[in-house]
Amino acid sequence: MTETFEPQPPAVVLDPEREANLRTVGIISYVLHAIVAIGALLPGVQASIVLLVVAVIVDLVKRDDAAGSWQASHFSWRLRSVLWCGILYVVTIPLWFLFVIPGWIAWCGISIWFLYRIVRGWLAMNDRRPMPT
């Protein structure tokens, strides 16, 4: 049985200026998330956590401006991505203390998954499509 995602039409249609502003915020947030995701895959580039915090704060502050529009799903998508990655990183911390290589493999897998979600969301936003919720 296959299911396809049929996006619902947005409940709220934003004026062009507001939509452009939210789209700019979305691009900036996706860029910051992408830098963090790529940095997580490169050894010694963990200073990018500050960028992640900035991106999350921007998403939390601006998501109410997009309420009801197709862009609201992108704010939720990015926040859920960060939340799930954070949970997965915490759950796999014991692997680092017990076995370094499995910990490294797990964190690389999580980082690749995070990068996938950011790229997928960014491409959908460029096509003006909502993300599944």
Side-chain angles (χ1 to χ4, degrees):
M1 179 156 84
T2 61
E3 293 182 31
T4 59
F5 170 68
E6 298 281 338
Q8 298 295 322
V12 175
V13 177
L14 302 173
D15 63 86
E17 182 180 338
R18 188 170 171 194
E19 182 171 337
N21 289 340
L22 286 172
R23 197 161 184 277
T24 300
V25 168
I27 289 170
I28 291 168
S29 182
Y30 274 123
V31 166
L32 293 174
H33 281 86
I35 290 169
V36 171
I38 293 168
L41 291 170
L42 301 174
V45 189
Q46 297 305 317
S48 61
I49 193 72
V50 173
L51 298 177
L52 181 64
V53 171
V54 169
V56 167
I57 290 171
V58 167
D59 284 343
L60 288 171
V61 168
K62 298 301 279 183
R63 76 175 171 177
D64 288 341
D65 293 349
S69 71
W70 65 270
Q71 291 185 0
S73 65
H74 286 274
F75 286 93
S76 296
W77 179 262
R78 290 187 300 265
L79 291 169
R80 278 196 322 266
S81 298
V82 171
L83 178 67
W84 276 109
C85 282
I87 290 169
L88 292 172
Y89 283 137
V90 168
V91 166
T92 58
I93 283 174
L95 292 175
W96 283 98
F97 295 121
L98 300 174
F99 314 102
V100 173
I101 292 176
W104 180 80
I105 291 170
W107 281 34
C108 280
I110 295 166
S111 298
I112 290 169
W113 178 78
F114 182 59
L115 182 60
Y116 159 77
R117 285 187 56 100
I118 297 309
V119 170
R120 181 178 170 197
W122 199 344
L123 291 174
M125 188 183 73
N126 284 338
D127 292 339
R128 289 179 164 71
R129 290 182 289 123
M131 294 308 296
T133 52

